[in-house]
Structure formats: structure tokens, C-alpha cells
Amino acid sequence: MTHALKQTPLYQSHVDAGAKMVDFAGWSMPIHYGSQLKEHEAVRADAGVFDVSHMVVLDIAGGDAKAWLQHILANDVARLGFVGKALYSGMLTEQGTVIDDLIVYLSETGYRMVVNAGTREKDLAWLTRTSAGRDVQLNVRDDLAMLAIQGPNAIEKVCAIMPQWAEAIRALKVFQGLPMGSQTGGEWFVARTGYTGEDGLEIMLPATDAPVFFAELIKGGVAPIGLGARDTLRLEAGMNLYGHDMDETISPLQAGMGWTIAWQPAERDFIGRAALEAEKNAGVAMKQVGLVLTDRGVLREGMRVVTPHGDGVITSGTFSPTLKHSIAIARVPASTDSSAEVDLRGTLTPVRVVKLPFVRNGKRQYE
């Protein structure tokens, strides 16, 4: 039996804009609007808008909310010093592997969490189970839509459409958000965050406001961008995709997420901490790196990476529209240095090993 695909509040807007729609995590989503390559370039050079309404927005309240989040997240919500401040974190199993990666904001009534669409049921079950018996209220905000407007001109183009908020939006620092009212009286939340390696905003707004705002953005010179370009952009930016670069078999220490773990204060006993400390003490076996292939061919997920220290694996790979050659994120033995080989259809092909990201603000980041 096939289940009908879920639709975001912008489904009709996508169809009207000429999108090719595909099944993504049970949602009907735009893969492109004619040219994935042009969409990628629009975000690197100008501004594009992504519908990310399939992601799960969760408002968290209650007297135990802070202590509970300090227990279930590897990063520490005590670092959120003011309303609107954001934090990126992994949510881990007792074995120290990744259930999901997410963003959590300090809000006026507690916290707001945004998790991946593909892990929705699993995440909500885990959150419900770990908060049981505590003074924690979880409110899934399916009444909201979410748009990401990304690119060097994204913020200015949004400000041109919303002059009454322009000053407040321009004042946002990276990883800060701001709750705002709207013309329709509904609540909007504007954050300077994103998944492209460019500057930009992610805006949560009432689902009923979304189609009009999307149309205003398009009219204001912001290109609609599909999931195809979203993937090449985030890969150039060296950003993980859950279920590919990490999952419940992988430790954050082997997935480039070490910076998201708050080890201090030492007495904060978050889920997975003991396993991670044991792994650290034993010496982390694998590390996350970037691979660059300047010859012909395309690096793809699942390909074997051969090094003198043992084999690794490509977790995400693509042709980079910005760099004009293939790039990949890979997990390789920790002592791997600046070169390796990839098994490209049976031929061991040399690749360069570089530090992520590949691209930031439209420019190449490695030598």
C-alpha cells in the first residue's frame, strides 16, 4: 500500500513555479525548477529561497526543560545567553552514536528545536521517552512553514520586501534569531542560519502566510531552489547530511562533530558521554575529511577510500559546480595525511585529502 506524499504549504507554489517534484522523506518536494546548476550558482552569486517546511519545529516549555536538554544533547543549552540565540548539537544514543543533528534556540517561553524530516518519528519518540516524568511540554508546530533564503544578497533582498524589519534583521549576528510579529498577526521567527556556506536567513512563519511571502521573494529577485542544489551547496560547505555522513552507527567524533560536544562542565552527564570519553581515551580510530578529485570522474557515496593506514569510505560525493571538479566528504583512518586513493569503478584513483569546508562565501577554502 502506498501512502500519499505529504505536502508543505508551498506545494502549489512549487508546481506553479515549474518545479519537478519528488518523494523526499515522505514529502513531495521540489528537486529543481529547471536547472539544478543555475540554482546552485544563484545561491553562490546572488540569492535563492528553499522550502524547508518539511523539517520538524518543536517548541519546548516547562520547569525541567533546561535540565532535560542538558541531559539529551551533546552541546550545552546553558551556552544560550539570550532569546533567539541558536546552538547546533547532536542528540546521541547511550553508545555515543548520532540519533540526529539539530538546532535549538532559546525562546521567550523556553526553547525551540528544529530536527530533520527523515527522522521525525524516531526523534519525537526519543524526546517523548526521555522527557517522561519531567516537567517538560513538547509542542510540534505543524502550523508553521519554514523558508531558507540564502546567498550574498539574501539578507538585503529580504529587507527590501520587509522594510519595517530591515534594521532588526541587519543587526542579527550569525546563529542568532529574532521573534517578530507579522502583518497577519501571526508569529514569525527570523534567524541568521543556513545550510549553504553562504550568508542568509531561515524564517519560520505561519503556514497560511507562506505562499504570499514565497511569491514576494520570487518577485523581489530571489530564485526558487530545489533539493538538488541544496545538496551540492551543503556538500561544498562541508556540512553533514544525516543518514549519510553520520547515523546511529557513527560517533560524532568520527563525523567532524567534535566541536559540537560541550565537555565542560565535567559533571554534566549527557546521554552518550561515557561512551565518547572511552572512545577519546582509546584514541578515535577514524576522522572526517574532504576529498578532491581534479581528474575526470565523480566521487560518490559508498566508494572505498584506500590509504596506507587502512580503508575508509565516502559518505557524500558530488560534482562541485563552484570548483568545477568532484569533491566528497569521507571517513578515513585517523592517521591519513594529504593523499589517498578512491576505488573508481575498479580503478584506484589518486585524490587529495583536505580540511573541510571546500567553499565558504563563494570562495575555495583549501590550498
Side-chain angles (χ1 to χ4, degrees):
M1 188 179 119
T2 56
H3 292 280
L5 293 180
K6 291 184 282 222
Q7 297 180 355
T8 76
L10 290 167
Y11 174 82
Q12 196 55 49
S13 307
H14 300 313
V15 172
D16 294 346
K20 179 182 188 324
M21 306 299 285
V22 298
D23 176 355
F24 181 82
W27 291 81
S28 181
M29 298 297 287
I31 189 82
H32 63 71
Y33 300 81
S35 167
Q36 179 179 326
L37 188 64
K38 283 195 177 117
E39 290 164 32
H40 179 107
E41 288 166 349
V43 174
R44 287 276 177 257
D46 187 12
V49 55
F50 307 77
D51 178 11
V52 286
S53 306
H54 59 311
M55 295 186 81
V56 187
V57 179
L58 194 73
D59 282 336
I60 301 162
D64 294 337
K66 181 180 179 182
W68 170 65
L69 288 169
Q70 287 184 295
H71 177 58
I72 66 161
L73 300 181
N75 213 334
D76 188 356
V77 294
R79 293 175 167 184
L80 298 173
F82 54 88
V83 167
K85 185 76 182 106
L87 189 78
Y88 174 74
S89 182
M91 182 162 67
L92 310 180
T93 64
E94 288 289 1
Q95 293 73 42
T97 61
V98 186
I99 294 172
D100 204 3
D101 65 326
L102 53 91
I103 287 184
V104 60
Y105 300 89
L106 188 65
S107 70
E108 286 161 324
T109 52
Y111 298 88
R112 172 168 285 183
M113 184 185 279
V114 182
V115 303
N116 289 304
T119 47
R120 177 184 176 117
E121 301 313 321
K122 174 183 86 164
D123 287 2
L124 293 178
W126 179 258
L127 295 169
T128 303
R129 196 172 95 221
T130 56
S131 62
R134 295 178 183 246
D135 176 18
V136 173
Q137 292 85 49
L138 305 176
N139 179 19
V140 181
R141 298 299 306 272
D142 287 336
D143 57 314
L144 297 179
M146 184 150 118
L147 293 176
I149 304 98
Q150 303 281 300
N153 300 328
I155 290 177
E156 281 314 306
K157 287 193 170 184
V158 170
C159 288
I161 293 166
M162 307 195 303
Q164 72 279 26
W165 292 348
E167 197 180 337
I169 289 172
R170 287 191 190 107
L172 286 173
K173 293 188 166 59
V174 173
F175 255 68
Q176 277 186 20
L178 196 63
M180 299 180 174
S182 81
Q183 297 92 325
T184 58
E187 51 170 312
W188 287 43
F189 184 83
V190 179
R192 194 168 171 187
T193 49
Y195 192 50
T196 61
E198 296 296 329
D199 203 355
L201 303 167
E202 289 180 316
I203 299 180
M204 297 167 225
L205 67 165
T208 47
D209 288 353
V212 170
F213 184 53
F214 186 80
E216 283 179 343
L217 288 166
I218 306 297
K219 203 169 101 188
V222 180
I225 313 292
L227 291 174
R230 184 170 166 81
D231 194 52
T232 52
L233 289 159
R234 71 91 195 167
L235 219 164
E236 287 184 349
M239 293 176 172
N240 282 346
L241 176 60
Y242 189 82
H244 300 261
D245 305 299
M246 72 300 193
D247 56 32
E248 285 191 37
T249 67
I250 303 298
S251 149
L253 297 174
Q254 301 190 18
M257 291 174 66
W259 65 279
T260 70
I261 301 163
W263 298 103
Q264 298 298 326
E267 59 275 12
R268 185 176 70 96
D269 186 23
F270 59 85
I271 296 173
R273 178 171 191 137
L276 292 186
E277 285 179 340
E279 183 185 8
K280 220 165 66 148
N281 293 338
V284 182
M286 307 288 277
K287 67 178 178 181
Q288 186 183 72
V289 297
L291 302 180
V292 172
L293 173 68
T294 45
D295 294 340
R296 293 180 61 155
V298 179
L299 303 172
R300 295 285 183 209
E301 181 178 348
M303 286 180 176
R304 185 167 63 107
V305 183
V306 179
T307 83
H309 313 282
D311 286 359
V313 66
I314 289 179
T315 56
S316 287
T318 195
F319 177 81
S320 161
T322 306
L323 303 171
K324 309 287 188 266
H325 55 68
S326 189
I327 57 172
I329 297 172
R331 198 165 44 252
V332 298
S335 42
T336 303
D337 53 16
S338 61
S339 63
E341 293 176 308
V342 170
D343 187 344
L344 262 179
R345 300 206 182 94
T347 305
L348 286 182
T349 308
V351 290
R352 286 182 59 197
V353 178
V354 301
K355 198 167 167 252
L356 295 168
F358 301 102
V359 178
R360 263 290 180 280
N361 301 119
K363 293 180 179 58
R364 190 174 91 172
Q365 292 300 294
Y366 58 90
E367 291 309 313

